[in-house]
């Protein structure tokens, strides 16, 4: 247990080589210690190495658990390893794990979208025993990633009809979908809800940037500028959203001035 805690600590502190060295030196390893290392690699975006660790873990005779599947499904999505992702999904279904952990279903939806298997992602979502804000957000975000704004907004409506309340991440994806299809009406509704909940004060600047970008893409550049001026925090992405918005709307002088 102490060795596993050391692996986990080093991995979470981005000292992945030290984490691996500790794991290699452990007199006994188990699935929990392997999980800590695999999750550390995924966290750093080094997903090929995470998958290599997954292979080694299995070669040592350890069977993956729910935590393993969550990390490895994410690694499969990032690396586009559809075959392995499908094999893992089949094993998850075989063991009946989706009925015990909805996060696994969400991870499967996300993996399929990242591997460009859009229809499969939707199929998995439809067969989830339970859907929550995270699974709905994965579905909406997946459609947005593929430029399918209308499908994303349709899912957003279905989500609300199901009584699921969106969170800040949902709103970010929905605002991107509004920009794709130039749907100002829903964008305005989201803006009003964001302000009612005070999310611009409590969440990442990413949400404010999404609002600026949505208004700009919908051709309402004065509102984009108004939102920008009221952002509590701005970063380079905020400025980029405004500058690109001006340029897209033919206001080149304003873009250069910004």
């Amino acid at each position: 247990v102490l060795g596993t805690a050391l692996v986990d600590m080093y991995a979470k502190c981005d000292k992945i080589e030290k984490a691996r060295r500790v794991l290699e030196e452990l007199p006994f390893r188990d699935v929990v210690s392997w999980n800590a290392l695999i999750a550390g690699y995924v966290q750093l975006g080094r997903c090929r190495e995470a998958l290599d660790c997954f292979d080694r873990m299995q070669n040592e005779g350890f069977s993956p658990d729910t935590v393993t599947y969550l990390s490895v499904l994410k690694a499969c999505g990032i690396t586009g390893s559809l075959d392995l992702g499908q094999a893992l999904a089949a094993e998850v279904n075989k063991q009946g794990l989706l009925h015990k952990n909805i996060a696994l279903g969400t991870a499967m939806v996300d993996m399929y979208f990242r591997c460009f298997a859009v229809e499969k992602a939707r199929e998995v979502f439809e067969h989830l025993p339970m859907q929550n804000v995270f699974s709905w957000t994965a579905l909406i975000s997946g459609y947005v990633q593929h430029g399918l704004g209308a499908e994303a907004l349709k899912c957003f409506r279905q989500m609300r009809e199901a009584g699921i309340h969106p969170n800040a991440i949902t709103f970010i994806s929905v605002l991107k979908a509004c920009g794709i299809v130039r749907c100002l009406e829903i964008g305005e509704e989201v803006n009003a809800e964001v302000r009612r909940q005070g999310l611009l004060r409590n969440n990442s600047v990413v949400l404010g940037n999404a609002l600026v970008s949505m208004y700009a893409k919908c051709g309402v550049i004065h509102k984009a500028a108004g939102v920008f001026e009221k952002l509590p925090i701005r970063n380079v992405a905020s400025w980029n959203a405004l500058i690109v918005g001006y340029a897209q709307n033919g206001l080149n002088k304003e873009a250069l001035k910004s």
Side-chain angles (χ1 to χ4, degrees), residues 147-159:
L148 301 171
E151 284 295 326
L153 294 181
K154 181 180 176 182
C155 291
F156 181 57
R157 286 192 294 270
Q158 292 172 339
M159 171 185 172

Side-chain angles (χ1 to χ4, degrees), residues 11 16 34-44 50 67 71:
I16 196 67
W34 276 111
N35 283 347
L37 186 64
I38 292 169
Y41 276 121
V42 173
Q43 178 183 307
L44 291 172
V67 176
S71 291

Side-chain angles (χ1 to χ4, degrees), residues 97-170:
L97 296 177
L98 288 183
H99 292 276
K100 302 173 185 177
N101 192 314
I102 191 172
L104 269 177
T106 302
M108 285 171 59
V109 171
D110 182 65
M111 180 274 294
Y112 279 121
F113 270 121
R114 288 175 181 264
C115 291
F116 297 91
V118 175
E119 294 303 321
K120 190 66 179 176
R122 182 70 194 228
E123 180 186 328
V124 169
F125 176 85
E126 296 289 354
H127 287 90
L128 290 179
M130 185 175 68
Q131 293 147 353
N132 63 8
V133 63
F134 302 107
S135 51
W136 275 106
T137 299
L139 185 67
I140 293 167
S141 175
Y143 279 126
V144 169
Q145 288 168 19
H146 290 274
L148 301 171
E151 284 295 326
L153 294 181
K154 181 180 176 182
C155 291
F156 181 57
R157 286 192 294 270
Q158 292 172 339
M159 171 185 172
R160 303 199 87 164
E161 288 168 2
I164 307 294
H165 298 290
N167 59 22
I169 308 300
T170 318

Side-chain angles (χ1 to χ4, degrees), residues 186-199:
I186 295 179
E188 291 272 31
E189 291 175 8
V190 170
N191 185 17
E193 187 64 22
V194 164
R195 295 190 179 282
R196 189 184 70 79
Q197 295 185 33
L199 295 177

